[in-house]
Amino acid sequence: MAAGMSTTEERPRRDTRALLIMLALLLVYTVADLGTKEWALDNLSRENAAAGAVCEPNEQGLRSFQRVPTQPVPFIEGVLRFNYAENCGAAFSMLREAPGWTRALVFGVASIGAAIVLTVMFIRGSGGKMFAAAVPLILSGAIGNLTDRLRHGFVVDFIQVDPQLFNYPVFNVADIAIFVGVALLLLEGGEKKKPATAPAPA
């Protein structure tokens, strides 16, 4: 090996075209999430005149919905339906029992931190195609749910697996985007760990 030659392979930075494609996908995914949540607010719920403080338990320890869910709407009969819910936690209802200031701190720091780290890694050329596909998905999910918290104090969920089929928390498009994005990152990590196969003898 020649003296001074680096043993580490440096990836080229992604160009402007790649960045624009990522931002366009980020916009599409975010609009899809926020748009479907607005649809859920308008079509799956109505105003609740007796609503208490947002995401705060009453004297009985119960949280009242800010909007009242209307009748669930079947999407795939016996499999999926649309059912309005208000999530005070993170994706799939995590941290819903934590105090309000804790949720605000965790969600805000996590969303901003993830956005900065992933964007910098993307521009620097980190990862492969699956990483590049995962970035706008994860960012859109974080932006969509954070936007809900800033606007409403809770996240609008409305996609539900039929309870007779499987008992699973109600979720939304942002949760799906985050799940798929993380899955892509894990798949790419698994691909990198695969041992290289030796070439077949001639």
Side-chain angles (χ1 to χ4, degrees):
M1 180 182 294
M5 182 179 293
S6 174
T7 59
T8 60
E9 180 184 354
E10 292 188 4
R11 287 184 174 271
R13 293 168 65 93
R14 288 186 171 88
D15 57 17
T16 303
R17 178 176 175 274
L19 180 60
L20 290 175
I21 292 174
M22 188 274 282
L23 293 175
L25 291 173
L26 172 59
L27 178 62
V28 169
Y29 298 152
T30 304
V31 169
D33 174 55
L34 296 179
T36 52
K37 288 173 178 173
E38 284 301 312
W39 175 85
L41 286 167
D42 294 340
N43 295 276
L44 302 175
S45 70
R46 56 182 173 81
E47 292 185 5
N48 183 9
V54 178
C55 286
E56 294 298 330
N58 58 22
E59 295 176 354
Q60 289 74 38
L62 303 174
R63 291 183 173 87
S64 61
F65 274 16
Q66 299 303 298
R67 297 180 64 86
V68 179
T70 56
Q71 191 68 20
V73 176
F75 179 57
I76 302 176
E77 194 67 42
V79 180
L80 284 178
R81 66 181 187 174
F82 296 141
N83 188 24
Y84 179 83
E86 295 173 1
N87 181 4
C88 295
F92 307 112
S93 301
M94 291 184 293
L95 290 180
R96 67 176 302 155
E97 300 300 328
W101 67 268
T102 303
R103 292 195 303 269
L105 180 63
V106 171
F107 300 144
V109 170
S111 298
I112 295 171
I116 294 173
V117 170
L118 288 176
T119 302
V120 170
M121 290 177 66
F122 181 90
I123 293 173
R124 289 182 175 177
S126 300
K129 292 181 179 180
M130 284 190 282
F131 175 84
V135 170
L137 286 166
I138 296 174
L139 292 185
S140 69
I143 291 171
N145 283 343
L146 182 60
T147 300
D148 262 18
R149 296 184 192 286
L150 295 175
R151 291 180 60 198
H152 310 301
F154 56 84
V155 173
V156 175
D157 287 335
F158 65 96
I159 305 172
Q160 183 181 35
V161 177
D162 193 300
Q164 295 183 352
L165 178 67
F166 187 60
N167 188 15
Y168 197 76
V170 186
F171 54 97
N172 57 37
V173 173
D175 295 334
I176 297 172
I178 292 171
F179 178 85
V180 174
V182 171
L184 288 173
L185 293 182
L186 293 175
L187 285 172
E188 180 165 288
E191 288 291 327
K192 288 181 179 179
K193 290 181 180 179
K194 285 184 179 179
T197 57

